Amino acid sequence: MSLLFHFLAWLPLVVLQGLGAFAGWLLWVTSSSRKQVALRNISRCMPELSAAEQRRIARASLGHEMKTYIETARVWLGPGNSVKNAVKEWRGIEVLERAFAQGKGVILLTLHQGAFEAVAIPMSANFPFYGIYKPQKGVVNDLSLKGRRRFGGRMVAAEAGVRKAALPLLAEGLGVYYMPDHDPPPGRGVFVPFLGIPAHTPTLIARLARESGSPVVFMFGERLPWARGYIAHYVEAPAGLDDADVEKATAAMNLGLERCVRECPEQYWWGYKRFRRQPPGTPDFYR
């Protein structure tokens, strides 16, 4: 595995993304379950689009997801200057700078969209961020830590919970980086709208923002066509994310994530079963 990652890391970006596009095409033409989930998600979340446009976005999404997996080796282990220079624009970076200027730390939220690590890892050369992660076994864990720390980024294991790991860092004026677009275990989430559909969403960020008083910023990495690099997008948080009502605050967080998705829908990972858990009495979303 280590040899494979190091081999892939030195291949040109155009080759890696070409392999990812081919893998995505295979998922599409073989009518994989991932394709069916993507089509289901888009048809329910973006009903205003034509069927042809929904299929175009679903197909592009599978390709972008596979590109992310394959180009990760280069982002973690590839030539440093090449990885940094691949980020062609830091759009909205002033949003992040204003957040840090408050001196209360920053909660940076991203989602499974585009090339999130390709912009997050070079960003750590200029901003003091900690990535919150759960340790895994094996060489991939070691390679991921090496890659995510390469430009000054720091990682902290959430062995005692993300909240306990993050609060002391925010109190020191540092940033924490987290991906909340997932279905948490029962008891750790609430059902709030995401793209118009009830989604079981973690309440962690709502509680963290309330307790720490830290500003929240959203970020995603847009992949440019033909391996021309990436654009890092920074988006201000909607009002209400620090509301005392956890459900209202969590709904505000999902609104921020939704804004990111709508800016670049073809790069969101629609193949993930985001709505597999529904409120009691609701029919199976993916039936």
Side-chain angles (χ1 to χ4, degrees), residues 123-142:
M123 175 192 67
S124 64
N126 299 309
F127 295 93
F129 272 106
Y130 276 84
I132 309 295
Y133 79 103
K134 292 183 179 181
Q136 302 178 20
K137 296 180 180 180
V139 67
V140 174
N141 185 73
D142 297 336

Side-chain angles (χ1 to χ4, degrees), residues 10 15 78 108 176 181 225 273:
W10 288 87
V15 173
L108 184 66
V176 295
D181 64 323
K273 287 188 175 183

Side-chain angles (χ1 to χ4, degrees), residues 30-80:
T30 56
S31 293
S32 64
S33 61
R34 208 132 184 107
K35 171 185 175 180
Q36 303 307 321
V37 169
L39 288 170
R40 178 64 168 167
N41 282 338
I42 293 174
S43 68
R44 292 288 301 276
C45 294
M46 294 187 167
E48 71 278 8
L49 300 179
S50 67
E53 182 66 2
Q54 290 173 358
R55 290 178 66 82
R56 183 194 70 80
I57 291 173
R59 182 171 182 171
S61 170
L62 296 180
H64 280 288
E65 182 179 352
M66 294 301 105
K67 287 176 185 179
T68 300
Y69 288 131
I70 294 176
E71 72 188 11
T72 292
R74 181 177 177 84
V75 175
W76 287 353
L77 306 171

Side-chain angles (χ1 to χ4, degrees), residues 134-249:
K134 292 183 179 181
Q136 302 178 20
K137 296 180 180 180
V139 67
V140 174
N141 185 73
D142 297 336
L143 293 174
S144 70
L145 290 177
K146 180 179 179 181
R148 291 163 178 164
R149 291 169 173 164
R150 64 182 310 189
F151 300 130
R154 288 162 281 189
M155 303 296 294
V156 58
E159 294 173 313
V162 175
R163 179 178 160 277
K164 288 185 178 180
L167 280 173
L169 300 173
L170 294 170
E172 293 180 29
L174 302 170
V176 295
Y177 173 73
Y178 189 70
M179 302 182 77
D181 64 323
H182 63 268
D183 183 356
R188 297 185 184 178
V190 292
F191 287 100
V192 292
F194 178 57
L195 294 162
I197 308 295
H200 192 239
T201 305
T203 57
L204 166 69
I205 298 302
R207 300 181 190 280
L208 197 59
R210 180 72 177 174
E211 290 182 50
S212 66
S214 302
V216 177
V217 176
F218 292 83
M219 180 195 78
F220 70 94
E222 178 186 357
R223 183 178 289 106
L224 294 172
W226 301 107
R228 295 204 304 267
Y230 315 95
I231 297 176
H233 293 261
Y234 296 89
V235 182
E236 289 195 45
L241 218 153
D242 58 349
D243 197 291
D245 185 316
V246 171
E247 189 168 322
K248 289 182 179 179

Side-chain angles (χ1 to χ4, degrees), residues 227-273:
R228 295 204 304 267
Y230 315 95
I231 297 176
H233 293 261
Y234 296 89
V235 182
E236 289 195 45
L241 218 153
D242 58 349
D243 197 291
D245 185 316
V246 171
E247 189 168 322
K248 289 182 179 179
T250 304
M253 181 192 74
N254 271 3
L255 181 59
L257 295 174
E258 182 176 330
R259 288 176 181 174
C260 294
V261 172
R262 292 192 180 279
E263 281 198 40
C264 197
E266 64 274 8
Q267 297 196 21
Y268 184 62
W269 290 18
W270 293 104
Y272 169 57
K273 287 188 175 183

